[in-house]
Amino acid sequence: RGVKLPTARGAVLLLFIPCAIAAVVGHIRNKLIEWKIVLPASIAGVAGVFVGLWIADLVKETVLNFVLAGWLGWMGVCEIRKALSSLKRQKER
């Protein structure tokens, strides 16, 4: 049924990487990158990837899927609340 998870992940990465490169180029052109924090942030990001891989090996895939779904749902609720709050502030002006 559908596409297997590793194939779907690969497709997402394949689509995401060109978008990320274009975003970085745009940010460089608009001088929006704080270069002194690029190296520490990159090191922390790579370390986070390895910690995430380690945790993913310890936890069943179904649990990870539920955690991801819960996190995405929570982020969606937060974004909706933020948008509604912004609309309310605009109406009060």
Side-chain angles (χ1 to χ4, degrees):
R1 225 172 90 163
V3 177
K4 296 199 180 278
L5 195 55
T7 304
R9 287 180 184 149
V12 168
L13 284 175
L14 190 63
L15 295 171
F16 174 76
I17 290 172
C19 294
I21 291 170
V24 168
V25 168
H27 280 72
I28 290 171
R29 284 185 182 161
N30 293 320
K31 298 181 173 48
L32 297 172
I33 295 180
E34 294 184 37
W35 290 103
K36 58 186 164 193
I37 65 169
V38 168
L39 184 62
S42 298
I43 291 170
V46 169
V49 166
F50 285 108
V51 170
L53 286 170
W54 175 67
I55 292 171
D57 278 344
L58 297 176
V59 180
K60 290 183 179 181
E61 187 175 330
T62 53
V63 173
L64 291 175
N65 287 339
F66 278 112
V67 170
L68 177 60
W71 180 74
L72 289 173
W74 176 253
M75 293 304 297
V77 168
C78 290
E79 289 298 314
I80 290 169
R81 290 181 69 204
K82 187 166 54 170
L84 292 174
S85 176
S86 176
L87 286 172
K88 184 179 177 183
R89 279 194 306 267
Q90 286 178 356
K91 285 183 179 180
E92 290 174 352
R93 290 183 194 174

